[in-house]
Amino acid sequence: MTFKIGRNDPCWCGSGKKYKVCHQAFDEKIATYANQGCIVPPHDIIKTPDQIAGIKESCKINIAVLDYIQEHIHPGMNTAEIDKIVYDITTDMGGIPAPLHYEGYPYSVCTSVNEQVCHGFPSENVILKEGDIVNVDCSTILNGFFSDSSRMFCIGEITPEKRRLVDVTKECVEMGLAQVKPWGFLGDMGQAVHDHAFANGYTVVREIGGHGVGLEFHEEPWVGYNSKRGTEMLMVPGMIFTIEPMVNMGKVEIYVDDENDWEVYTQDGLPSAQWEIMVLVTEEGHEVLCW
Ligand code: MF3
Ligand code: CO
């Protein structure tokens, strides 16, 4: 149920200003899109300046953790060591690793190696070796604000085929990002990601996507990459979501480990890569908050 706000009532955004001088024109613009049948964002995923400030503080921890791992990851290291680093730095900086106990997830971070698509469990038995590619997916809660990003790391010398997969996947994110601007559609971003992967002979995982983030770990909208330009949710200033395509070198099919119900693998056993950024839609375009 929604209540119509009076022009002189306080705005829903919490600014303390009257609705008519705050978000009324904004809401009317969104309503014209809704009337044309577009999917439009609900108010609760449009962040206020105070919330954005809090989310940015959370992002600082996430970035610091990934920067540290980038400096210290090496052949012979096991992924449980990465988990400990993530836990220690995050908590030292006053945060909480968001994955820990999230829907029963048992670790502080996801470490997905080679043909692991995502949600890889850190383990003493997974020892990084020359030629591996690994995604480290890190998420932080600070004062109730969430951040989420991931990077690929190449262990020593890797094959040109793996290098190209890692690089093209990053380019996919950059090309998607270039489409993020207010009054565009999420499908503009999704199609750009997909087209670039496809042009390079790769496939983009369909079942798992990005998400709104900030006040919760996973908020609306769901962010897929098999979408078409001009479709999916309207992007408006104040929205924050992730762009995090999983790009497979081979076939698109994946499966979930049926013993732990978390770890995801490519069905054909070929490598998969992923980069994840967190982006804010601004009045002018976008701002990357976390990478
Ligand atoms: N960080 C992942 C994402 O990008 C979420 C993983 S869920 C977890 O959305 F429980 F495994 F952390
Ligand atoms: Co995410």
Side-chain angles (χ1 to χ4, degrees), residues 6 18 95 102 107 206 238 243 249 252 275:
K18 289 184 177 173
Y102 174 78
Y107 301 99
R206 296 169 175 276
I243 303 177
M249 190 183 281
V252 74
W275 295 83

Side-chain angles (χ1 to χ4, degrees), residues 98-110 119 121 137-139 148-150 208-211 217-218 242 244 246 262 274 276:
L100 195 57
H101 310 312
Y102 174 78
E103 293 187 2
Y105 187 80
Y107 301 99
S108 296
V109 67
C110 302
H119 304 162
F121 281 5
D137 190 342
C138 195
S139 318
D148 184 11
S149 59
S150 79
I208 314 167
H211 49 93
F217 196 172
H218 297 115
T242 69
E244 52 173 312
M246 293 152 211
W262 274 106
Q274 179 184 28
E276 174 175 17

